[in-house]
Amino acid sequence: MTKSRLAKRAGGAVPSFVLQNAPVSHLWSQEQWWPSDIAIHLTHVVPEVDFSAVAGAVSLQNISSFGSDVYLTSRDDVTKSPAWTTNADGKPDSRGHSSAPATIVLVEKDNGILDAFFFYFYSFDHGGKVLDIEFGDHVGDWEHSMVRFVNGAPTTLYLSAHTGGSAYTFDATEKTNGRPTTYIAGGTHANYATSGKHCHDLPLDLLCDQTDAGALWDPTLNFRGFWYDSASNTFSVASGADVGGQQEGVEGASWLSFAGQWGDEQYPVLEHGQYCIPVGSTDECRFSSGPTGQHHSARCCMQATI
């Protein structure tokens, strides 16, 4: 990829072939923690380091000024399920439109390759139960899918799930009106290519995600769009749609460089009902720390040359 081509793309619109082949996703029919707008999420948290506030507020315009040791900590007691954590307003309507913008990041590479990352944010992750004991809840939840294009044609679909994910040839995936169809697990929001039960991490099917053909979410109806230049390690604003498109011009792209955590630091035992149970060499706790942004953890993939 030449610098001149990168410069030509930077700041340009999201190509139509990306939107025409973007995934559509079924959320679980019994979902309780719906997609959230990151800008609204930030109004409900304060940046903390070692459980002490380092600022009174945070926004997409200034979040990149905070370090990787910062946790965006809830102003509310999350055990009481404040409305912003469940965000019923984010449930997609009959058209597939959610009030919560998705985030699309485009990365051009050599040999005609364009990787289109679709990032999804939720203000709360419900980790699930093992033997009826709840584990792994946390404030803030980033997941993503990625479609690889070669000379404008889709070839591969990647779906994130927990600490990993799975890749599929584009032609092998289920389609809705020609677009790949995915299934988002209830509570954990892990992404899968098929509906049904998906067990993970533990033996004997002790921990399983549930998916089905619940509400359909079309992220192209409301999104913030960006380009990522791996040579300079910078993001620039592309075209968006609906609320995301209206907001991103003012918000800018610097927030994508925030390397801190989008939720609370893991609570000490007994705080907010926290408990931890030894499992092997580690402790499994009801509440874990919030995640870094998927765009941050996926940067290795964005920077890869293949």
Side-chain angles (χ1 to χ4, degrees):
M1 184 69 62
T2 65
K3 289 185 178 180
S4 60
R5 184 174 177 185
L6 281 169
K8 183 177 179 181
R9 284 287 198 183
V14 175
S16 59
F17 64 79
V18 170
L19 301 179
Q20 292 164 2
N21 293 284
V24 292
S25 302
H26 286 285
L27 291 142
W28 190 38
S29 59
Q30 299 178 54
E31 183 61 79
Q32 300 177 55
W33 298 274
W34 298 98
S36 301
D37 185 337
I38 53 174
I40 294 176
H41 177 81
L42 293 183
T43 67
H44 295 283
V45 299
V46 293
E48 292 188 354
V49 175
D50 294 330
F51 302 102
S52 295
V54 294
V58 62
S59 68
L60 289 177
Q61 288 91 332
N62 70 5
I63 192 172
S64 63
S65 67
F66 295 100
S68 60
D69 57 346
V70 164
Y71 290 81
L72 302 180
T73 305
S74 172
R75 297 176 182 270
D76 304 301
D77 181 350
V78 297
T79 64
K80 299 183 184 302
S81 298
W84 63 272
T85 61
T86 55
N87 194 39
D89 289 343
K91 181 179 180 178
D93 62 19
S94 59
R95 297 183 299 121
H97 176 274
S98 170
S99 63
T103 299
I104 299 177
V105 178
L106 307 174
V107 186
E108 285 192 300
K109 300 180 177 180
D110 292 335
N111 303 314
I113 292 174
L114 186 148
D115 288 341
F117 290 81
F118 300 85
F119 295 103
Y120 317 106
F121 183 75
Y122 312 82
S123 281
F124 195 81
D125 177 292
H126 181 263
K129 293 184 177 182
V130 178
L131 300 178
D132 210 33
I133 302 174
E134 193 167 326
F135 292 102
D137 293 355
H138 54 83
V139 175
D141 187 21
W142 282 100
E143 299 289 346
H144 76 276
S145 59
M146 186 272 283
V147 178
R148 168 161 289 186
F149 298 87
V150 179
N151 297 322
T155 62
T156 308
L157 173 69
Y158 175 83
L159 303 175
S160 73
H162 304 290
T163 58
S166 300
Y168 306 86
T169 61
F170 189 87
D171 290 343
T173 61
E174 181 182 332
K175 302 294 193 301
T176 299
N177 297 323
R179 292 169 60 182
T181 305
T182 69
Y183 296 85
I184 298 175
T188 70
H189 309 124
N191 297 280
Y192 297 100
T194 58
S195 64
K197 183 168 71 172
H198 301 271
C199 299
H200 60 94
D201 291 332
L202 295 179
L204 305 176
D205 293 351
L206 289 174
L207 182 60
C208 299
D209 285 331
Q210 299 290 338
T211 69
D212 61 20
L216 189 68
W217 183 14
D218 182 352
T220 69
L221 299 180
N222 186 7
F223 70 91
R224 296 174 172 92
F226 302 91
W227 290 95
Y228 174 68
D229 180 0
S230 59
S232 61
N233 192 27
T234 57
F235 296 90
S236 59
V237 173
S239 60
D242 196 55
V243 173
Q246 296 164 15
Q247 294 178 342
E248 65 179 356
V250 175
E251 297 163 345
S254 64
W255 66 267
L256 288 156
S257 298
F258 173 60
Q261 287 70 35
W262 285 77
D264 297 26
E265 185 171 1
Q266 181 172 303
Y267 306 134
V269 171
L270 299 182
E271 184 174 327
H272 297 305
Q274 174 74 299
Y275 51 77
C276 297
I277 298 175
V279 178
S281 61
T282 62
D283 288 345
E284 294 295 334
C285 302
R286 178 185 176 185
F287 292 102
S288 59
S289 293
T292 57
Q294 282 278 309
H295 42 275
H296 178 75
S297 59
R299 190 167 293 183
C300 61
C301 303
M302 294 180 181
Q303 293 175 331
T305 58
I306 60 172

